[in-house]
Amino acid sequence: MNLACSNTDKKNNLGIGGKAKHLVNLEEIGAKVPSWVVIPQEVLLEQISKDIADNQIKNAFSNLNVPKETMEQLELFFGDNFQSCSYAVRSSAIDEDGDQFSFAGQFDTFLHVPHYDIENKIKAIWQSAVSEQVIKYREQNNMPLQFGIGVIIQKMIDADVAGVAFGIDLITGDQTTKVI
């Protein structure tokens, strides 16, 4: 199976990434989370050679394909309304949202994606795993190059309220201040 659909599948799959793991945690404490699935990093990694040369990375990532089975499973998971809804297609990197590094804003995320464009957005998120900014962020923080990235596909909902929380003050850099 190319998708992790149930909470058991999601929880037992190490390749779903940090953001997806946090969504599982929210569901486990009873929070209302819009329907979602995750494409584990393995679907991407199966297409990339382990011995890829540095100068071939961008080319390899520009030639990725979303398996037909993955798209079929998405349609089955979301059911009869698949074509009439819009979706958030979100990155969920393996080392994202960790204790020491967040990768905030580094990977692509797309909102209000119609069903017919999901495949293109999945590819774009995979390609963002090797973007210039991500490679630079990894170098600056002495982190190894990591190709794997999970992709969350989540039904969009009309929110009454929304927010973002930051673990530091982005203006001053003060790490003791939290900004919501």
PDB file of all heavy atoms in Angstrom, residues 45-68:
ATOM      1  N   LEU A  45      11.428   7.534  -2.137  1.00  0.00           N
ATOM      2  CA  LEU A  45      12.767   6.938  -2.088  1.00  0.00           C
ATOM      3  C   LEU A  45      12.925   5.753  -3.037  1.00  0.00           C
ATOM      4  O   LEU A  45      14.036   5.485  -3.509  1.00  0.00           O
ATOM      5  CB  LEU A  45      13.110   6.529  -0.657  1.00  0.00           C
ATOM      6  CG  LEU A  45      13.243   7.686   0.333  1.00  0.00           C
ATOM      7  CD1 LEU A  45      13.507   7.171   1.745  1.00  0.00           C
ATOM      8  CD2 LEU A  45      14.335   8.660  -0.106  1.00  0.00           C
ATOM      9  N   GLU A  46      11.827   5.067  -3.340  1.00  0.00           N
ATOM     10  CA  GLU A  46      11.892   3.952  -4.299  1.00  0.00           C
ATOM     11  C   GLU A  46      12.295   4.430  -5.690  1.00  0.00           C
ATOM     12  O   GLU A  46      12.755   3.639  -6.509  1.00  0.00           O
ATOM     13  CB  GLU A  46      10.534   3.249  -4.377  1.00  0.00           C
ATOM     14  CG  GLU A  46      10.213   2.432  -3.147  1.00  0.00           C
ATOM     15  CD  GLU A  46       8.784   1.882  -3.148  1.00  0.00           C
ATOM     16  OE1 GLU A  46       8.026   2.147  -4.111  1.00  0.00           O
ATOM     17  OE2 GLU A  46       8.433   1.198  -2.181  1.00  0.00           O
ATOM     18  N   GLN A  47      12.145   5.716  -5.949  1.00  0.00           N
ATOM     19  CA  GLN A  47      12.449   6.268  -7.276  1.00  0.00           C
ATOM     20  C   GLN A  47      13.826   6.917  -7.363  1.00  0.00           C
ATOM     21  O   GLN A  47      14.246   7.325  -8.447  1.00  0.00           O
ATOM     22  CB  GLN A  47      11.397   7.309  -7.656  1.00  0.00           C
ATOM     23  CG  GLN A  47       9.993   6.762  -7.733  1.00  0.00           C
ATOM     24  CD  GLN A  47       9.012   7.827  -8.151  1.00  0.00           C
ATOM     25  OE1 GLN A  47       9.150   8.423  -9.224  1.00  0.00           O
ATOM     26  NE2 GLN A  47       8.027   8.078  -7.312  1.00  0.00           N
ATOM     27  N   ILE A  48      14.518   7.026  -6.228  1.00  0.00           N
ATOM     28  CA  ILE A  48      15.799   7.726  -6.191  1.00  0.00           C
ATOM     29  C   ILE A  48      16.908   6.726  -5.886  1.00  0.00           C
ATOM     30  O   ILE A  48      16.834   5.991  -4.903  1.00  0.00           O
ATOM     31  CB  ILE A  48      15.792   8.830  -5.103  1.00  0.00           C
ATOM     32  CG1 ILE A  48      14.666   9.831  -5.356  1.00  0.00           C
ATOM     33  CG2 ILE A  48      17.143   9.528  -5.013  1.00  0.00           C
ATOM     34  CD1 ILE A  48      14.819  10.661  -6.596  1.00  0.00           C
ATOM     35  N   SER A  49      17.947   6.733  -6.689  1.00  0.00           N
ATOM     36  CA  SER A  49      19.090   5.852  -6.458  1.00  0.00           C
ATOM     37  C   SER A  49      19.824   6.265  -5.195  1.00  0.00           C
ATOM     38  O   SER A  49      20.015   7.459  -4.930  1.00  0.00           O
ATOM     39  CB  SER A  49      20.050   5.917  -7.647  1.00  0.00           C
ATOM     40  OG  SER A  49      21.267   5.287  -7.333  1.00  0.00           O
ATOM     41  N   LYS A  50      20.244   5.289  -4.416  1.00  0.00           N
ATOM     42  CA  LYS A  50      21.011   5.590  -3.196  1.00  0.00           C
ATOM     43  C   LYS A  50      22.395   6.133  -3.529  1.00  0.00           C
ATOM     44  O   LYS A  50      23.041   6.762  -2.706  1.00  0.00           O
ATOM     45  CB  LYS A  50      21.130   4.333  -2.339  1.00  0.00           C
ATOM     46  CG  LYS A  50      19.818   3.906  -1.734  1.00  0.00           C
ATOM     47  CD  LYS A  50      19.985   2.667  -0.883  1.00  0.00           C
ATOM     48  CE  LYS A  50      18.729   2.419  -0.121  1.00  0.00           C
ATOM     49  NZ  LYS A  50      17.937   1.306  -0.457  1.00  0.00           N
ATOM     50  N   ASP A  51      22.849   5.870  -4.744  1.00  0.00           N
ATOM     51  CA  ASP A  51      24.197   6.278  -5.159  1.00  0.00           C
ATOM     52  C   ASP A  51      24.177   7.493  -6.082  1.00  0.00           C
ATOM     53  O   ASP A  51      25.093   7.692  -6.869  1.00  0.00           O
ATOM     54  CB  ASP A  51      24.894   5.114  -5.868  1.00  0.00           C
ATOM     55  CG  ASP A  51      25.002   3.891  -4.986  1.00  0.00           C
ATOM     56  OD1 ASP A  51      25.267   4.056  -3.782  1.00  0.00           O
ATOM     57  OD2 ASP A  51      24.805   2.768  -5.501  1.00  0.00           O
ATOM     58  N   ILE A  52      23.154   8.302  -5.968  1.00  0.00           N
ATOM     59  CA  ILE A  52      23.012   9.456  -6.854  1.00  0.00           C
ATOM     60  C   ILE A  52      24.126  10.474  -6.594  1.00  0.00           C
ATOM     61  O   ILE A  52      24.467  10.774  -5.447  1.00  0.00           O
ATOM     62  CB  ILE A  52      21.619  10.105  -6.701  1.00  0.00           C
ATOM     63  CG1 ILE A  52      21.379  11.120  -7.805  1.00  0.00           C
ATOM     64  CG2 ILE A  52      21.451  10.729  -5.335  1.00  0.00           C
ATOM     65  CD1 ILE A  52      19.942  11.592  -7.891  1.00  0.00           C
ATOM     66  N   ALA A  53      24.695  10.971  -7.672  1.00  0.00           N
ATOM     67  CA  ALA A  53      25.750  11.981  -7.572  1.00  0.00           C
ATOM     68  C   ALA A  53      25.121  13.333  -7.263  1.00  0.00           C
ATOM     69  O   ALA A  53      23.991  13.625  -7.667  1.00  0.00           O
ATOM     70  CB  ALA A  53      26.528  12.046  -8.880  1.00  0.00           C
ATOM     71  N   ASP A  54      25.864  14.167  -6.527  1.00  0.00           N
ATOM     72  CA  ASP A  54      25.362  15.483  -6.136  1.00  0.00           C
ATOM     73  C   ASP A  54      24.864  16.298  -7.330  1.00  0.00           C
ATOM     74  O   ASP A  54      23.859  16.994  -7.235  1.00  0.00           O
ATOM     75  CB  ASP A  54      26.441  16.274  -5.395  1.00  0.00           C
ATOM     76  CG  ASP A  54      26.680  15.753  -3.986  1.00  0.00           C
ATOM     77  OD1 ASP A  54      25.896  14.899  -3.515  1.00  0.00           O
ATOM     78  OD2 ASP A  54      27.667  16.176  -3.359  1.00  0.00           O
ATOM     79  N   ASN A  55      25.588  16.204  -8.451  1.00  0.00           N
ATOM     80  CA  ASN A  55      25.206  17.014  -9.612  1.00  0.00           C
ATOM     81  C   ASN A  55      24.015  16.431 -10.378  1.00  0.00           C
ATOM     82  O   ASN A  55      23.551  17.024 -11.338  1.00  0.00           O
ATOM     83  CB  ASN A  55      26.397  17.212 -10.548  1.00  0.00           C
ATOM     84  CG  ASN A  55      26.897  15.908 -11.147  1.00  0.00           C
ATOM     85  OD1 ASN A  55      26.528  14.814 -10.704  1.00  0.00           O
ATOM     86  ND2 ASN A  55      27.745  16.022 -12.150  1.00  0.00           N
ATOM     87  N   GLN A  56      23.488  15.285  -9.951  1.00  0.00           N
ATOM     88  CA  GLN A  56      22.341  14.665 -10.601  1.00  0.00           C
ATOM     89  C   GLN A  56      21.051  14.751  -9.777  1.00  0.00           C
ATOM     90  O   GLN A  56      19.992  14.295 -10.214  1.00  0.00           O
ATOM     91  CB  GLN A  56      22.647  13.195 -10.915  1.00  0.00           C
ATOM     92  CG  GLN A  56      23.715  13.008 -11.957  1.00  0.00           C
ATOM     93  CD  GLN A  56      23.295  13.597 -13.290  1.00  0.00           C
ATOM     94  OE1 GLN A  56      22.187  13.349 -13.764  1.00  0.00           O
ATOM     95  NE2 GLN A  56      24.150  14.388 -13.898  1.00  0.00           N
ATOM     96  N   ILE A  57      21.135  15.303  -8.564  1.00  0.00           N
ATOM     97  CA  ILE A  57      19.986  15.318  -7.660  1.00  0.00           C
ATOM     98  C   ILE A  57      18.806  16.078  -8.265  1.00  0.00           C
ATOM     99  O   ILE A  57      17.689  15.575  -8.314  1.00  0.00           O
ATOM    100  CB  ILE A  57      20.376  15.907  -6.284  1.00  0.00           C
ATOM    101  CG1 ILE A  57      21.346  14.957  -5.578  1.00  0.00           C
ATOM    102  CG2 ILE A  57      19.145  16.151  -5.423  1.00  0.00           C
ATOM    103  CD1 ILE A  57      21.966  15.525  -4.317  1.00  0.00           C
ATOM    104  N   LYS A  58      19.031  17.294  -8.717  1.00  0.00           N
ATOM    105  CA  LYS A  58      17.933  18.115  -9.262  1.00  0.00           C
ATOM    106  C   LYS A  58      17.270  17.413 -10.454  1.00  0.00           C
ATOM    107  O   LYS A  58      16.048  17.398 -10.564  1.00  0.00           O
ATOM    108  CB  LYS A  58      18.441  19.485  -9.699  1.00  0.00           C
ATOM    109  CG  LYS A  58      18.973  20.322  -8.568  1.00  0.00           C
ATOM    110  CD  LYS A  58      17.858  20.948  -7.805  1.00  0.00           C
ATOM    111  CE  LYS A  58      18.468  21.898  -6.785  1.00  0.00           C
ATOM    112  NZ  LYS A  58      17.620  22.153  -5.683  1.00  0.00           N
ATOM    113  N   ASN A  59      18.080  16.824 -11.332  1.00  0.00           N
ATOM    114  CA  ASN A  59      17.537  16.131 -12.495  1.00  0.00           C
ATOM    115  C   ASN A  59      16.686  14.933 -12.070  1.00  0.00           C
ATOM    116  O   ASN A  59      15.600  14.720 -12.601  1.00  0.00           O
ATOM    117  CB  ASN A  59      18.671  15.688 -13.417  1.00  0.00           C
ATOM    118  CG  ASN A  59      18.151  15.114 -14.712  1.00  0.00           C
ATOM    119  OD1 ASN A  59      17.254  15.671 -15.331  1.00  0.00           O
ATOM    120  ND2 ASN A  59      18.707  13.986 -15.118  1.00  0.00           N
ATOM    121  N   ALA A  60      17.181  14.162 -11.119  1.00  0.00           N
ATOM    122  CA  ALA A  60      16.439  12.989 -10.647  1.00  0.00           C
ATOM    123  C   ALA A  60      15.094  13.400 -10.050  1.00  0.00           C
ATOM    124  O   ALA A  60      14.073  12.744 -10.286  1.00  0.00           O
ATOM    125  CB  ALA A  60      17.268  12.218  -9.620  1.00  0.00           C
ATOM    126  N   PHE A  61      15.080  14.484  -9.294  1.00  0.00           N
ATOM    127  CA  PHE A  61      13.840  14.931  -8.654  1.00  0.00           C
ATOM    128  C   PHE A  61      12.865  15.567  -9.646  1.00  0.00           C
ATOM    129  O   PHE A  61      11.671  15.595  -9.401  1.00  0.00           O
ATOM    130  CB  PHE A  61      14.141  15.872  -7.485  1.00  0.00           C
ATOM    131  CG  PHE A  61      14.371  15.150  -6.199  1.00  0.00           C
ATOM    132  CD1 PHE A  61      15.552  14.447  -5.979  1.00  0.00           C
ATOM    133  CD2 PHE A  61      13.414  15.131  -5.211  1.00  0.00           C
ATOM    134  CE1 PHE A  61      15.764  13.761  -4.796  1.00  0.00           C
ATOM    135  CE2 PHE A  61      13.609  14.438  -4.032  1.00  0.00           C
ATOM    136  CZ  PHE A  61      14.788  13.755  -3.823  1.00  0.00           C
ATOM    137  N   SER A  62      13.365  16.039 -10.773  1.00  0.00           N
ATOM    138  CA  SER A  62      12.455  16.618 -11.765  1.00  0.00           C
ATOM    139  C   SER A  62      11.764  15.529 -12.590  1.00  0.00           C
ATOM    140  O   SER A  62      10.806  15.813 -13.302  1.00  0.00           O
ATOM    141  CB  SER A  62      13.200  17.596 -12.676  1.00  0.00           C
ATOM    142  OG  SER A  62      14.131  16.897 -13.480  1.00  0.00           O
ATOM    143  N   ASN A  63      12.227  14.287 -12.475  1.00  0.00           N
ATOM    144  CA  ASN A  63      11.655  13.183 -13.245  1.00  0.00           C
ATOM    145  C   ASN A  63      10.851  12.205 -12.393  1.00  0.00           C
ATOM    146  O   ASN A  63      10.636  11.065 -12.799  1.00  0.00           O
ATOM    147  CB  ASN A  63      12.767  12.426 -13.976  1.00  0.00           C
ATOM    148  CG  ASN A  63      13.402  13.268 -15.052  1.00  0.00           C
ATOM    149  OD1 ASN A  63      12.712  13.921 -15.825  1.00  0.00           O
ATOM    150  ND2 ASN A  63      14.714  13.279 -15.109  1.00  0.00           N
ATOM    151  N   LEU A  64      10.401  12.630 -11.227  1.00  0.00           N
ATOM    152  CA  LEU A  64       9.638  11.746 -10.342  1.00  0.00           C
ATOM    153  C   LEU A  64       8.210  11.558 -10.841  1.00  0.00           C
ATOM    154  O   LEU A  64       7.652  12.429 -11.498  1.00  0.00           O
ATOM    155  CB  LEU A  64       9.602  12.344  -8.931  1.00  0.00           C
ATOM    156  CG  LEU A  64      10.939  12.443  -8.219  1.00  0.00           C
ATOM    157  CD1 LEU A  64      10.800  13.239  -6.934  1.00  0.00           C
ATOM    158  CD2 LEU A  64      11.504  11.066  -7.930  1.00  0.00           C
ATOM    159  N   ASN A  65       7.643  10.420 -10.492  1.00  0.00           N
ATOM    160  CA  ASN A  65       6.251  10.130 -10.839  1.00  0.00           C
ATOM    161  C   ASN A  65       5.500   9.676  -9.601  1.00  0.00           C
ATOM    162  O   ASN A  65       6.051   8.957  -8.764  1.00  0.00           O
ATOM    163  CB  ASN A  65       6.176   9.022 -11.893  1.00  0.00           C
ATOM    164  CG  ASN A  65       6.712   9.479 -13.221  1.00  0.00           C
ATOM    165  OD1 ASN A  65       6.265  10.478 -13.757  1.00  0.00           O
ATOM    166  ND2 ASN A  65       7.688   8.757 -13.748  1.00  0.00           N
ATOM    167  N   VAL A  66       4.260  10.100  -9.496  1.00  0.00           N
ATOM    168  CA  VAL A  66       3.386   9.605  -8.439  1.00  0.00           C
ATOM    169  C   VAL A  66       2.784   8.305  -8.968  1.00  0.00           C
ATOM    170  O   VAL A  66       2.151   8.315 -10.029  1.00  0.00           O
ATOM    171  CB  VAL A  66       2.282  10.619  -8.093  1.00  0.00           C
ATOM    172  CG1 VAL A  66       1.377  10.070  -7.005  1.00  0.00           C
ATOM    173  CG2 VAL A  66       2.895  11.953  -7.674  1.00  0.00           C
ATOM    174  N   PRO A  67       2.990   7.193  -8.259  1.00  0.00           N
ATOM    175  CA  PRO A  67       2.441   5.926  -8.756  1.00  0.00           C
ATOM    176  C   PRO A  67       0.927   6.006  -8.954  1.00  0.00           C
ATOM    177  O   PRO A  67       0.205   6.616  -8.161  1.00  0.00           O
ATOM    178  CB  PRO A  67       2.787   4.932  -7.650  1.00  0.00           C
ATOM    179  CG  PRO A  67       3.970   5.538  -6.950  1.00  0.00           C
ATOM    180  CD  PRO A  67       3.752   7.027  -7.020  1.00  0.00           C
ATOM    181  N   LYS A  68       0.468   5.387 -10.035  1.00  0.00           N
ATOM    182  CA  LYS A  68      -0.964   5.357 -10.348  1.00  0.00           C
ATOM    183  C   LYS A  68      -1.748   4.789  -9.171  1.00  0.00           C
ATOM    184  O   LYS A  68      -2.830   5.279  -8.835  1.00  0.00           O
ATOM    185  CB  LYS A  68      -1.188   4.526 -11.611  1.00  0.00           C
ATOM    186  CG  LYS A  68      -2.610   4.448 -12.062  1.00  0.00           C
ATOM    187  CD  LYS A  68      -2.748   3.607 -13.326  1.00  0.00           C
ATOM    188  CE  LYS A  68      -4.211   3.480 -13.694  1.00  0.00           C
ATOM    189  NZ  LYS A  68      -4.407   2.561 -14.815  1.00  0.00           N
TER     190      LYS A  68
END
